[in-house]
Amino acid sequence: MAVDRLCYAAGVDAVHYIIEMRKKKGKSQFDRLDEDKEVPFTVPAVTWDSVKQVGSLNNGNWSFDVGYAFREALDLIFMDRTRNKLKVNLWTQGGIISFKEGDLIYSRCGQRSVQVRYATSMGWDVAKNDMYYGNVTYYESWTSEIKHVTQLDFLSMLING
């Protein structure tokens, strides 16, 4: 029996939404968005097939094959929440994208790949009271180039190519 957890495929805009919410509310930490609240997630849905024992982010429309193993990098966490005084488990979307050194991701067509050589996570810059977007230094197999971008720009490249 397959269990589906449906979300909303907002991609990079989901992270911008979380950052803007923190700025508007003046909170000391980020809100996590719950899948049952009809809010944007970076991926269309997080699913787990209990028969095959395989998970999916259902992001087949992305240019690169960012699989279930990248949940942490996308700040997707399965958490206990309370609804109507009952504990339930829900997928939540956070605002901290954190691809790491060594991450190797192939394109859907299988002709290209990127490998992270160095990375720093996103985080809140307390001194500036603003978001630090982190960075990713990665190698592109098809151009043999080393590129430097923010975590969000790297995510955008994985989605759009």
Side-chain angles (χ1 to χ4, degrees):
M1 179 174 141
V3 176
D4 288 344
R5 302 286 184 183
L6 300 178
C7 308
Y8 302 88
V12 175
D13 291 339
V15 178
H16 286 298
Y17 177 81
I18 293 168
I19 293 166
E20 289 307 311
M21 278 187 13
R22 179 175 179 170
K23 287 179 181 179
K24 284 181 187 174
K25 293 180 180 180
K27 289 191 168 188
S28 62
Q29 62 186 16
F30 291 101
D31 285 335
R32 294 199 65 84
L33 304 178
D34 297 347
E35 67 180 312
D36 65 342
K37 300 287 186 176
E38 296 188 20
V39 291
F41 272 33
T42 53
V43 297
V46 182
T47 58
W48 178 258
D49 186 322
S50 58
V51 174
K52 294 179 181 177
Q53 296 291 296
V54 175
S56 175
L57 299 181
N58 298 284
N59 54 350
N61 61 322
W62 288 18
S63 293
F64 284 79
D65 188 13
V66 180
Y68 193 75
F70 286 97
R71 297 180 315 278
E72 182 180 336
L74 298 172
D75 203 359
L76 294 167
I77 299 174
F78 200 53
M79 297 181 73
D80 290 336
R81 295 295 208 204
T82 303
R83 298 291 187 266
N84 300 320
K85 299 181 183 180
L86 298 172
K87 286 201 183 255
V88 295
N89 292 62
L90 297 172
W91 283 102
T92 65
Q93 173 72 62
I96 307 295
I97 302 302
S98 59
F99 288 95
K100 295 178 175 66
E101 181 178 334
D103 287 346
L104 175 63
I105 306 168
Y106 291 93
S107 64
R108 295 268 175 208
C109 68
Q111 302 298 311
R112 305 181 304 166
S113 66
V114 292
Q115 184 167 28
V116 177
R117 297 286 174 92
Y118 174 81
T120 58
S121 178
M122 292 174 63
W124 191 254
D125 186 331
V126 178
K128 294 180 181 177
N129 198 33
D130 202 1
M131 193 68 194
Y132 168 68
Y133 288 93
N135 65 64
V136 177
T137 299
Y138 67 97
Y139 172 77
E140 279 185 344
S141 67
W142 66 99
T143 64
S144 297
E145 292 180 19
I146 302 287
K147 297 204 172 177
H148 310 278
V149 295
T150 67
Q151 288 278 352
L152 283 182
D153 289 339
F154 186 69
L155 175 58
S156 183
M157 185 275 303
L158 295 172
I159 294 169
N160 303 310

